[in-house]
Amino acid sequence: MRIPTRGLLATALCAMLLASCAVPPAIVDRVTEDDPARLLEQAGQQQPAQAARTRLEAADILARQGERTQALEIAADIEDGLLEGSQRARWAVLLADLGEALGNTQAVIQATRNLNDLPLDPGQAMSLLERRGLALLAEDEPAAAGRALLRVQAASNDVALNDSIWEALTRMNRQALGDLAQQTDPLTQGWVALADLYRSSGGNIDRFFDRLEEWRGRNGRHPAARHLPASLITLNELRGFEVRHIAVFLPESGPLAQPASAIAEGMRTQQRSAGDSIQLSFFDAARGDLEALYREAENRGAQVVVGPLDKDQVGQLESLDRVALPTLALNYGNADRNTAAGLFQYGLSAEDEAIQAAARAWRDGHRRVALLVPDNDWGRRVGEAFWNEWQARGGEVTNAVRYNPGAPATDSTRRAISNPRPEALFLLALPDYARQVPPTLDYYGASQLPIYATSQLFEGRLNPRLDHDLNDVQFLDIPWQIPEAAVGGIEALPFLESYQALREGADPRLFRLNAMGVDAFELARRLPQLQAISGSELQGATGTLRPGSDGRIERQLPWAKFVNGVPQPILIPGVFGDERTP
């Protein structure tokens, strides 16, 4: 049938009129499905809610085209509160998928922070909650991770979650585990009882497995009773190989004699507290011949070695292919990595604290920081550790100032915050110098500038009159120095009996070394476990301790801030959606 010409003209005129009208682009523009660039261009001209939906569409197309990195960047930048109903659920699933595929755990956490508000079917909700738990575990948030994973297991009864739940439980501090114990459901109660049993066994493998049978008798249907976590199966294989004799290589003379004595006191105190008939044999490392010391230790029947303390001696061990006996050195060598088989290294490193300070400042949302460190070798090493970690995260260092520890802090602090003005300050200083910095910031109109500091600014004893000048400064320290901030009070401290024995009359300058000795004893008796069980860690007097990939012990420390001159917990809404004490 022929269409009249007059009808064609009318259609054309109508189209021209529509094209000339001021109609929003979103109504008349049509793009092909595989054109995310045009969608993103449109989004820039749209109202916020419409723009969020358009960007979600672009991210979805890019993900299906295999451009996952760009898709993740777009999805993560969408303000999900602008999306409604099914669109918001679609965003959460997409971002979680992309984060999981690209190993971006923070994207997974971002996607799953408001699961209760999303219109998801039960299967989707549990899948996203499980991903959230695993991502939180990877981000070193074991308490939040454990709660999420336990909810999933309560709904599914899936024993495949046992290993992850057990990892979360064993990484919680005592306060977090105590909070979890308030839950009354049998599943959680059974897990908490198993974790308490494990910790109260104090590294004694036989004692733990004897008690485990009693626990199984009371919890026969529990997922962990039906299928033990893999690390406990491996631990069972170590029965009969417990450490009963430790050789200790510490100097009895020279510049390291005093710190060595404080470490030895901590080891002996914990030996008495443990009550497991573990023998300590001390050898004078000042003699210098490590090969002879190892021969003598072997002849006496020692199974593991603690020490040496001298950095050069640790370097000698580090250069070997293998040490003669499993060894926990009490310092770090000079190499970038430890490659000697059987050698672990442990110390109270300020460099470790600087790296954690950088991670904390980044998590708090800061991107531009200044550094204020002493002009000496210590300041150089610690400052470089912070700088390297900060730049690896993509942060900017606005000013890096090395100060004279013997001079007033006024000029150095002014230079640290000079243009460009930073968003935060990293401070490495001893107490007398550190106390000058906040008042100087007040003088220069920077009283609100957050300060992140290492443990060295705290003397280790309460001095509110002097430390009042440090109010609001955030710092990290070992649990034994800040029990209220670390675990909620002295009674919840690791190795409480040894703490009480050592704290009374302790020299504040040496108390951290006493604590180091306690943890050295506990790490040494667990060396077979550290070697055999990946992810092993110790909730210790000097922090949460776990071996890195090269055998160097990594310490995770709690944070505190000064309030009225006294270290207190930092209570903030967690970056992962949970109210927590870091």
Side-chain angles (χ1 to χ4, degrees):
M1 173 178 138
R2 186 176 178 186
I3 301 175
T5 305
R6 207 164 80 183
L8 291 173
L9 289 172
T11 302
L13 285 170
C14 185
M16 290 172 67
L17 285 170
L18 286 171
S20 65
C21 293
V23 180
I27 295 176
V28 300
D29 285 359
R30 292 292 181 267
V31 295
T32 58
E33 190 188 59
D34 60 352
D35 191 5
R38 182 65 185 278
L39 283 171
L40 293 173
E41 183 181 343
Q42 279 189 351
Q45 303 170 14
Q46 294 171 336
Q47 294 299 313
Q50 178 63 42
R53 293 193 294 271
T54 304
R55 290 191 176 98
L56 175 59
E57 189 66 33
D60 190 37
I61 293 170
L62 286 165
R64 285 187 276 114
Q65 291 176 344
E67 300 293 336
R68 292 185 298 190
T69 300
Q70 186 182 0
L72 186 143
E73 291 174 359
I74 295 167
D77 200 41
I78 293 172
E79 187 178 342
D80 62 295
L82 296 171
L83 300 171
E84 295 182 358
S86 61
Q87 291 294 309
R88 195 174 181 191
R90 180 184 171 201
W91 167 83
V93 172
L94 175 63
L95 184 56
D97 285 345
L98 290 167
E100 186 176 51
L102 296 174
N104 189 324
T105 51
Q106 293 196 26
V108 176
I109 293 165
Q110 178 188 354
T112 57
R113 64 190 171 193
N114 295 310
L115 289 179
N116 292 337
D117 300 333
L118 301 180
L120 299 164
D121 65 54
Q124 281 181 317
M126 285 299 106
S127 174
L128 288 177
L129 186 59
E130 180 178 345
R131 295 186 197 183
R132 178 175 179 79
L134 296 175
L136 286 165
L137 194 57
E139 286 288 332
D140 205 24
E141 293 285 338
R147 288 194 294 271
L149 294 172
L150 283 167
R151 282 177 57 194
V152 177
Q153 189 169 69
S156 65
N157 202 27
D158 186 0
V159 297
L161 293 170
N162 283 6
D163 288 347
S164 297
I165 291 173
W166 183 245
E167 182 181 352
L169 290 169
T170 54
R171 285 168 57 182
M172 290 183 197
N173 62 34
R174 289 175 180 267
Q175 183 180 20
L177 199 62
D179 291 343
L180 191 62
Q182 301 305 310
Q183 303 295 317
T184 58
D185 62 285
L187 175 71
T188 302
Q189 286 290 314
W191 276 115
V192 171
L194 182 60
D196 281 339
L197 185 154
Y198 178 76
R199 291 189 181 186
S200 64
S201 297
N204 186 315
I205 299 175
D206 283 335
R207 181 188 301 163
F208 169 72
F209 280 99
D210 288 344
R211 295 176 177 177
L212 178 63
E213 292 310 310
E214 298 175 10
W215 176 89
R216 270 181 157 160
R218 297 189 302 271
N219 298 273
R221 294 186 175 184
H222 195 275
R226 291 185 281 119
H227 186 83
L228 273 182
S231 63
L232 294 184
I233 295 172
T234 303
L235 185 65
N236 190 35
E237 295 169 356
L238 296 175
R239 297 179 78 171
F241 295 94
E242 292 92 339
V243 172
R244 296 297 181 193
H245 189 174
I246 301 171
V248 185
F249 296 173
L250 287 173
E252 297 176 5
S253 59
L256 294 177
Q258 186 181 41
S261 177
I263 292 170
E265 183 182 4
M267 292 190 70
R268 290 189 176 100
T269 301
Q270 185 59 18
Q271 176 198 29
R272 292 190 293 270
S273 176
D276 284 333
S277 302
I278 297 176
Q279 180 181 349
L280 293 176
S281 296
F282 287 83
F283 300 80
D284 184 7
R287 288 165 21 198
D289 187 346
L290 288 176
E291 188 176 343
L293 290 176
Y294 272 100
R295 281 198 304 270
E296 188 175 351
E298 286 183 293
N299 289 338
R300 291 201 199 176
Q303 297 161 278
V304 301
V305 169
V306 171
L309 179 60
D310 180 80
K311 193 175 186 71
D312 290 337
Q313 288 184 319
V314 177
Q316 292 177 39
L317 297 180
E318 205 172 45
S319 67
L320 302 174
D321 292 331
R322 174 180 294 276
V323 289
L325 289 171
T327 299
L328 178 71
L330 297 177
N331 207 331
Y332 300 94
N334 295 306
D336 290 336
R337 285 183 60 82
N338 165 44
T339 58
L343 177 62
F344 294 82
Q345 299 176 22
Y346 162 58
L348 306 184
S349 165
E351 289 93 320
D352 282 349
E353 297 181 22
I355 291 169
Q356 290 176 60
R360 175 59 183 263
W362 182 268
R363 280 188 177 183
D364 286 350
H366 306 303
R367 297 297 180 262
R368 301 165 65 238
V369 302
L371 275 64
L372 189 57
V373 300
D375 188 12
N376 51 35
D377 182 62
W378 178 54
R380 178 190 60 77
R381 289 186 287 104
V382 178
E384 284 183 358
F386 184 98
W387 180 297
N388 292 338
E389 178 67 19
W390 190 250
Q391 291 203 320
R393 290 174 176 267
E396 175 190 351
V397 176
T398 57
N399 291 296
V401 176
R402 293 185 180 182
Y403 63 82
N404 176 1
T410 309
D411 183 61
S412 60
T413 304
R414 178 190 60 78
R415 288 187 288 122
I417 63 169
S418 295
N419 291 332
R421 179 66 65 93
E423 299 168 356
L425 174 69
F426 170 67
L427 174 64
L428 176 69
L430 297 177
D432 287 344
Y433 194 92
R435 291 174 184 132
Q436 302 175 53
V437 174
T440 305
L441 291 177
D442 293 348
Y443 179 79
Y444 286 112
S447 59
Q448 301 303 311
L449 189 72
I451 301 175
Y452 298 85
T454 62
S455 61
Q456 285 73 28
L457 92 167
F458 180 44
E459 285 182 330
R461 56 186 168 189
L462 297 184
N463 197 338
R465 184 178 64 83
L466 292 177
D467 288 339
H468 189 274
D469 284 335
L470 292 171
N471 278 351
D472 294 327
V473 173
Q474 301 177 62
F475 70 102
L476 67 179
D477 207 337
I478 68 172
W480 272 21
Q481 290 282 47
I482 51 171
E484 292 296 333
V487 293
I490 288 173
E491 295 301 319
L493 282 174
F495 313 125
L496 177 60
E497 185 178 337
S498 291
Y499 169 86
Q500 292 170 330
L502 290 163
R503 189 65 176 178
E504 186 175 353
D507 183 338
R509 298 170 301 171
L510 300 175
F511 187 62
R512 289 185 178 90
L513 293 171
N514 294 151
M516 182 180 170
V518 169
D519 281 354
F521 176 87
E522 290 296 330
L523 286 168
R525 68 185 300 190
R526 289 170 169 81
L527 280 189
Q529 299 174 39
L530 299 182
Q531 289 177 305
I533 303 174
S534 176
S536 294
E537 65 179 39
L538 172 70
Q539 300 286 334
T542 61
T544 300
L545 311 177
R546 62 178 74 104
S549 59
D550 66 347
R552 289 176 174 170
I553 302 296
E554 299 170 354
R555 288 189 306 140
Q556 193 70 32
L557 299 178
W559 283 86
K561 73 173 179 179
F562 284 97
V563 178
N564 296 324
V566 176
Q568 295 292 333
I570 302 173
L571 295 174
I572 60 170
V575 292
F576 303 120
D578 301 286
E579 190 76 15
R580 64 192 174 97
T581 303

